PDB file of all heavy atoms in Angstrom:
ATOM      1  N   SER F 825      -2.629   1.276   8.034  1.00  0.00           N
ATOM      2  CA  SER F 825      -2.525   2.418   8.942  1.00  0.00           C
ATOM      3  C   SER F 825      -1.597   3.494   8.376  1.00  0.00           C
ATOM      4  O   SER F 825      -1.890   4.694   8.446  1.00  0.00           O
ATOM      5  CB  SER F 825      -2.019   1.936  10.300  1.00  0.00           C
ATOM      6  OG  SER F 825      -1.951   2.991  11.231  1.00  0.00           O
ATOM      7  N   LEU F 826      -0.482   3.077   7.796  1.00  0.00           N
ATOM      8  CA  LEU F 826       0.444   4.036   7.180  1.00  0.00           C
ATOM      9  C   LEU F 826      -0.199   4.735   5.990  1.00  0.00           C
ATOM     10  O   LEU F 826       0.006   5.929   5.761  1.00  0.00           O
ATOM     11  CB  LEU F 826       1.712   3.307   6.725  1.00  0.00           C
ATOM     12  CG  LEU F 826       2.639   2.812   7.828  1.00  0.00           C
ATOM     13  CD1 LEU F 826       3.644   1.810   7.273  1.00  0.00           C
ATOM     14  CD2 LEU F 826       3.355   3.973   8.500  1.00  0.00           C
ATOM     15  N   ARG F 827      -1.003   4.004   5.254  1.00  0.00           N
ATOM     16  CA  ARG F 827      -1.674   4.562   4.067  1.00  0.00           C
ATOM     17  C   ARG F 827      -2.813   5.498   4.447  1.00  0.00           C
ATOM     18  O   ARG F 827      -2.921   6.609   3.903  1.00  0.00           O
ATOM     19  CB  ARG F 827      -2.217   3.400   3.229  1.00  0.00           C
ATOM     20  CG  ARG F 827      -2.946   3.807   1.946  1.00  0.00           C
ATOM     21  CD  ARG F 827      -3.685   2.615   1.368  1.00  0.00           C
ATOM     22  NE  ARG F 827      -4.718   2.145   2.278  1.00  0.00           N
ATOM     23  CZ  ARG F 827      -5.079   0.863   2.408  1.00  0.00           C
ATOM     24  NH1 ARG F 827      -4.475  -0.076   1.702  1.00  0.00           N
ATOM     25  NH2 ARG F 827      -6.022   0.528   3.268  1.00  0.00           N
ATOM     26  N   ASP F 828      -3.652   5.085   5.392  1.00  0.00           N
ATOM     27  CA  ASP F 828      -4.894   5.806   5.666  1.00  0.00           C
ATOM     28  C   ASP F 828      -4.773   6.816   6.805  1.00  0.00           C
ATOM     29  O   ASP F 828      -5.300   7.928   6.701  1.00  0.00           O
ATOM     30  CB  ASP F 828      -6.014   4.816   5.992  1.00  0.00           C
ATOM     31  CG  ASP F 828      -6.276   3.846   4.857  1.00  0.00           C
ATOM     32  OD1 ASP F 828      -5.981   4.199   3.692  1.00  0.00           O
ATOM     33  OD2 ASP F 828      -6.754   2.734   5.130  1.00  0.00           O
ATOM     34  N   ASP F 829      -4.091   6.424   7.902  1.00  0.00           N
ATOM     35  CA  ASP F 829      -3.984   7.323   9.048  1.00  0.00           C
ATOM     36  C   ASP F 829      -2.751   8.218   8.974  1.00  0.00           C
ATOM     37  O   ASP F 829      -2.817   9.403   9.298  1.00  0.00           O
ATOM     38  CB  ASP F 829      -3.940   6.524  10.352  1.00  0.00           C
ATOM     39  CG  ASP F 829      -5.329   6.112  10.817  1.00  0.00           C
ATOM     40  OD1 ASP F 829      -6.316   6.607  10.247  1.00  0.00           O
ATOM     41  OD2 ASP F 829      -5.431   5.288  11.754  1.00  0.00           O
ATOM     42  N   PHE F 830      -1.619   7.647   8.543  1.00  0.00           N
ATOM     43  CA  PHE F 830      -0.391   8.456   8.513  1.00  0.00           C
ATOM     44  C   PHE F 830      -0.146   9.073   7.143  1.00  0.00           C
ATOM     45  O   PHE F 830       0.648   9.994   7.019  1.00  0.00           O
ATOM     46  CB  PHE F 830       0.812   7.609   8.959  1.00  0.00           C
ATOM     47  CG  PHE F 830       1.721   8.332   9.907  1.00  0.00           C
ATOM     48  CD1 PHE F 830       1.275   8.728  11.156  1.00  0.00           C
ATOM     49  CD2 PHE F 830       3.024   8.613   9.571  1.00  0.00           C
ATOM     50  CE1 PHE F 830       2.113   9.395  12.048  1.00  0.00           C
ATOM     51  CE2 PHE F 830       3.878   9.277  10.438  1.00  0.00           C
ATOM     52  CZ  PHE F 830       3.411   9.673  11.684  1.00  0.00           C
ATOM     53  N   GLU F 831      -0.768   8.536   6.135  1.00  0.00           N
ATOM     54  CA  GLU F 831      -0.731   9.084   4.774  1.00  0.00           C
ATOM     55  C   GLU F 831       0.693   9.287   4.244  1.00  0.00           C
ATOM     56  O   GLU F 831       1.069  10.370   3.818  1.00  0.00           O
ATOM     57  CB  GLU F 831      -1.517  10.391   4.707  1.00  0.00           C
ATOM     58  CG  GLU F 831      -3.004  10.231   5.016  1.00  0.00           C
ATOM     59  CD  GLU F 831      -3.788  11.524   4.881  1.00  0.00           C
ATOM     60  OE1 GLU F 831      -3.582  12.420   5.742  1.00  0.00           O
ATOM     61  OE2 GLU F 831      -4.587  11.633   3.948  1.00  0.00           O
ATOM     62  N   ILE F 832       1.459   8.190   4.266  1.00  0.00           N
ATOM     63  CA  ILE F 832       2.827   8.283   3.746  1.00  0.00           C
ATOM     64  C   ILE F 832       3.057   7.328   2.576  1.00  0.00           C
ATOM     65  O   ILE F 832       4.194   7.195   2.115  1.00  0.00           O
ATOM     66  CB  ILE F 832       3.886   8.011   4.833  1.00  0.00           C
ATOM     67  CG1 ILE F 832       3.773   6.567   5.340  1.00  0.00           C
ATOM     68  CG2 ILE F 832       3.795   9.010   5.963  1.00  0.00           C
ATOM     69  CD1 ILE F 832       5.011   6.075   6.036  1.00  0.00           C
ATOM     70  N   SER F 833       2.003   6.664   2.112  1.00  0.00           N
ATOM     71  CA  SER F 833       2.165   5.790   0.969  1.00  0.00           C
ATOM     72  C   SER F 833       1.909   6.577  -0.314  1.00  0.00           C
ATOM     73  O   SER F 833       1.690   7.787  -0.290  1.00  0.00           O
ATOM     74  CB  SER F 833       1.206   4.588   1.065  1.00  0.00           C
ATOM     75  OG  SER F 833       1.553   3.601   0.112  1.00  0.00           O
ATOM     76  N   CYS F 834       1.966   5.899  -1.440  1.00  0.00           N
ATOM     77  CA  CYS F 834       1.693   6.519  -2.738  1.00  0.00           C
ATOM     78  C   CYS F 834       1.178   5.435  -3.668  1.00  0.00           C
ATOM     79  O   CYS F 834       1.278   4.234  -3.363  1.00  0.00           O
ATOM     80  CB  CYS F 834       2.944   7.191  -3.304  1.00  0.00           C
ATOM     81  SG  CYS F 834       4.339   6.070  -3.584  1.00  0.00           S
ATOM     82  N   THR F 835       0.622   5.827  -4.807  1.00  0.00           N
ATOM     83  CA  THR F 835      -0.048   4.866  -5.684  1.00  0.00           C
ATOM     84  C   THR F 835       0.852   3.717  -6.128  1.00  0.00           C
ATOM     85  O   THR F 835       0.436   2.545  -6.067  1.00  0.00           O
ATOM     86  CB  THR F 835      -0.646   5.590  -6.896  1.00  0.00           C
ATOM     87  OG1 THR F 835      -1.622   6.540  -6.428  1.00  0.00           O
ATOM     88  CG2 THR F 835      -1.320   4.614  -7.844  1.00  0.00           C
ATOM     89  N   PRO F 836       2.082   3.960  -6.593  1.00  0.00           N
ATOM     90  CA  PRO F 836       2.920   2.817  -6.995  1.00  0.00           C
ATOM     91  C   PRO F 836       3.180   1.840  -5.851  1.00  0.00           C
ATOM     92  O   PRO F 836       3.181   0.617  -6.065  1.00  0.00           O
ATOM     93  CB  PRO F 836       4.217   3.467  -7.485  1.00  0.00           C
ATOM     94  CG  PRO F 836       3.813   4.857  -7.885  1.00  0.00           C
ATOM     95  CD  PRO F 836       2.760   5.244  -6.899  1.00  0.00           C
ATOM     96  N   VAL F 837       3.400   2.356  -4.662  1.00  0.00           N
ATOM     97  CA  VAL F 837       3.625   1.483  -3.506  1.00  0.00           C
ATOM     98  C   VAL F 837       2.371   0.674  -3.205  1.00  0.00           C
ATOM     99  O   VAL F 837       2.431  -0.539  -2.957  1.00  0.00           O
ATOM    100  CB  VAL F 837       4.058   2.315  -2.283  1.00  0.00           C
ATOM    101  CG1 VAL F 837       3.986   1.470  -1.004  1.00  0.00           C
ATOM    102  CG2 VAL F 837       5.477   2.839  -2.477  1.00  0.00           C
ATOM    103  N   ASP F 838       1.219   1.333  -3.216  1.00  0.00           N
ATOM    104  CA  ASP F 838      -0.038   0.611  -2.967  1.00  0.00           C
ATOM    105  C   ASP F 838      -0.272  -0.464  -4.031  1.00  0.00           C
ATOM    106  O   ASP F 838      -0.728  -1.567  -3.719  1.00  0.00           O
ATOM    107  CB  ASP F 838      -1.214   1.593  -2.944  1.00  0.00           C
ATOM    108  CG  ASP F 838      -1.181   2.523  -1.742  1.00  0.00           C
ATOM    109  OD1 ASP F 838      -0.536   2.169  -0.735  1.00  0.00           O
ATOM    110  OD2 ASP F 838      -1.799   3.599  -1.807  1.00  0.00           O
ATOM    111  N   ASP F 839       0.028  -0.149  -5.283  1.00  0.00           N
ATOM    112  CA  ASP F 839      -0.107  -1.147  -6.354  1.00  0.00           C
ATOM    113  C   ASP F 839       0.805  -2.346  -6.107  1.00  0.00           C
ATOM    114  O   ASP F 839       0.413  -3.504  -6.311  1.00  0.00           O
ATOM    115  CB  ASP F 839       0.237  -0.523  -7.710  1.00  0.00           C
ATOM    116  CG  ASP F 839      -0.803   0.483  -8.189  1.00  0.00           C
ATOM    117  OD1 ASP F 839      -1.935   0.470  -7.661  1.00  0.00           O
ATOM    118  OD2 ASP F 839      -0.475   1.284  -9.089  1.00  0.00           O
ATOM    119  N   LEU F 840       2.023  -2.061  -5.675  1.00  0.00           N
ATOM    120  CA  LEU F 840       2.979  -3.130  -5.403  1.00  0.00           C
ATOM    121  C   LEU F 840       2.501  -4.004  -4.246  1.00  0.00           C
ATOM    122  O   LEU F 840       2.627  -5.239  -4.286  1.00  0.00           O
ATOM    123  CB  LEU F 840       4.350  -2.524  -5.105  1.00  0.00           C
ATOM    124  CG  LEU F 840       5.502  -3.469  -4.772  1.00  0.00           C
ATOM    125  CD1 LEU F 840       5.638  -4.570  -5.812  1.00  0.00           C
ATOM    126  CD2 LEU F 840       6.802  -2.672  -4.645  1.00  0.00           C
ATOM    127  N   VAL F 841       1.943  -3.391  -3.217  1.00  0.00           N
ATOM    128  CA  VAL F 841       1.409  -4.143  -2.079  1.00  0.00           C
ATOM    129  C   VAL F 841       0.270  -5.052  -2.525  1.00  0.00           C
ATOM    130  O   VAL F 841       0.182  -6.227  -2.121  1.00  0.00           O
ATOM    131  CB  VAL F 841       0.955  -3.190  -0.959  1.00  0.00           C
ATOM    132  CG1 VAL F 841       0.115  -3.922   0.081  1.00  0.00           C
ATOM    133  CG2 VAL F 841       2.164  -2.545  -0.287  1.00  0.00           C
ATOM    134  N   VAL F 842      -0.618  -4.534  -3.374  1.00  0.00           N
ATOM    135  CA  VAL F 842      -1.728  -5.343  -3.887  1.00  0.00           C
ATOM    136  C   VAL F 842      -1.203  -6.547  -4.665  1.00  0.00           C
ATOM    137  O   VAL F 842      -1.680  -7.677  -4.510  1.00  0.00           O
ATOM    138  CB  VAL F 842      -2.667  -4.483  -4.756  1.00  0.00           C
ATOM    139  CG1 VAL F 842      -3.659  -5.372  -5.519  1.00  0.00           C
ATOM    140  CG2 VAL F 842      -3.412  -3.472  -3.900  1.00  0.00           C
ATOM    141  N   ILE F 843      -0.218  -6.315  -5.530  1.00  0.00           N
ATOM    142  CA  ILE F 843       0.368  -7.415  -6.307  1.00  0.00           C
ATOM    143  C   ILE F 843       0.986  -8.459  -5.373  1.00  0.00           C
ATOM    144  O   ILE F 843       0.780  -9.669  -5.542  1.00  0.00           O
ATOM    145  CB  ILE F 843       1.417  -6.876  -7.296  1.00  0.00           C
ATOM    146  CG1 ILE F 843       0.736  -6.094  -8.414  1.00  0.00           C
ATOM    147  CG2 ILE F 843       2.264  -8.007  -7.863  1.00  0.00           C
ATOM    148  CD1 ILE F 843       1.694  -5.333  -9.306  1.00  0.00           C
ATOM    149  N   ALA F 844       1.743  -7.996  -4.385  1.00  0.00           N
ATOM    150  CA  ALA F 844       2.392  -8.920  -3.448  1.00  0.00           C
ATOM    151  C   ALA F 844       1.355  -9.758  -2.711  1.00  0.00           C
ATOM    152  O   ALA F 844       1.511 -10.982  -2.565  1.00  0.00           O
ATOM    153  CB  ALA F 844       3.251  -8.148  -2.460  1.00  0.00           C
ATOM    154  N   ASN F 845       0.288  -9.105  -2.257  1.00  0.00           N
ATOM    155  CA  ASN F 845      -0.724  -9.832  -1.487  1.00  0.00           C
ATOM    156  C   ASN F 845      -1.543 -10.799  -2.342  1.00  0.00           C
ATOM    157  O   ASN F 845      -2.202 -11.694  -1.805  1.00  0.00           O
ATOM    158  CB  ASN F 845      -1.653  -8.841  -0.786  1.00  0.00           C
ATOM    159  CG  ASN F 845      -1.027  -8.247   0.458  1.00  0.00           C
ATOM    160  OD1 ASN F 845      -0.270  -8.914   1.159  1.00  0.00           O
ATOM    161  ND2 ASN F 845      -1.316  -6.985   0.741  1.00  0.00           N
ATOM    162  N   SER F 846      -1.503 -10.636  -3.660  1.00  0.00           N
ATOM    163  CA  SER F 846      -2.243 -11.531  -4.544  1.00  0.00           C
ATOM    164  C   SER F 846      -1.493 -12.822  -4.831  1.00  0.00           C
ATOM    165  O   SER F 846      -2.051 -13.752  -5.425  1.00  0.00           O
ATOM    166  CB  SER F 846      -2.555 -10.822  -5.872  1.00  0.00           C
ATOM    167  OG  SER F 846      -1.377 -10.669  -6.651  1.00  0.00           O
ATOM    168  N   CYS F 847      -0.240 -12.894  -4.399  1.00  0.00           N
ATOM    169  CA  CYS F 847       0.595 -14.066  -4.695  1.00  0.00           C
ATOM    170  C   CYS F 847       0.325 -15.192  -3.696  1.00  0.00           C
ATOM    171  O   CYS F 847       0.271 -14.947  -2.476  1.00  0.00           O
ATOM    172  CB  CYS F 847       2.075 -13.701  -4.635  1.00  0.00           C
ATOM    173  SG  CYS F 847       2.594 -12.460  -5.830  1.00  0.00           S
ATOM    174  N   ASP F 848       0.198 -16.403  -4.196  1.00  0.00           N
ATOM    175  CA  ASP F 848       0.114 -17.561  -3.309  1.00  0.00           C
ATOM    176  C   ASP F 848       1.405 -17.652  -2.497  1.00  0.00           C
ATOM    177  O   ASP F 848       2.505 -17.595  -3.055  1.00  0.00           O
ATOM    178  CB  ASP F 848      -0.069 -18.842  -4.125  1.00  0.00           C
ATOM    179  CG  ASP F 848      -1.434 -18.920  -4.790  1.00  0.00           C
ATOM    180  OD1 ASP F 848      -2.364 -18.236  -4.315  1.00  0.00           O
ATOM    181  OD2 ASP F 848      -1.559 -19.661  -5.788  1.00  0.00           O
TER     182      ASP F 848
END
């Protein structure tokens, strides 16, 4: 929601979120 509706994220943050979510 912050990324798509509020538009306050950025590419490095999104990349970091993807990496975090890929971890067991």
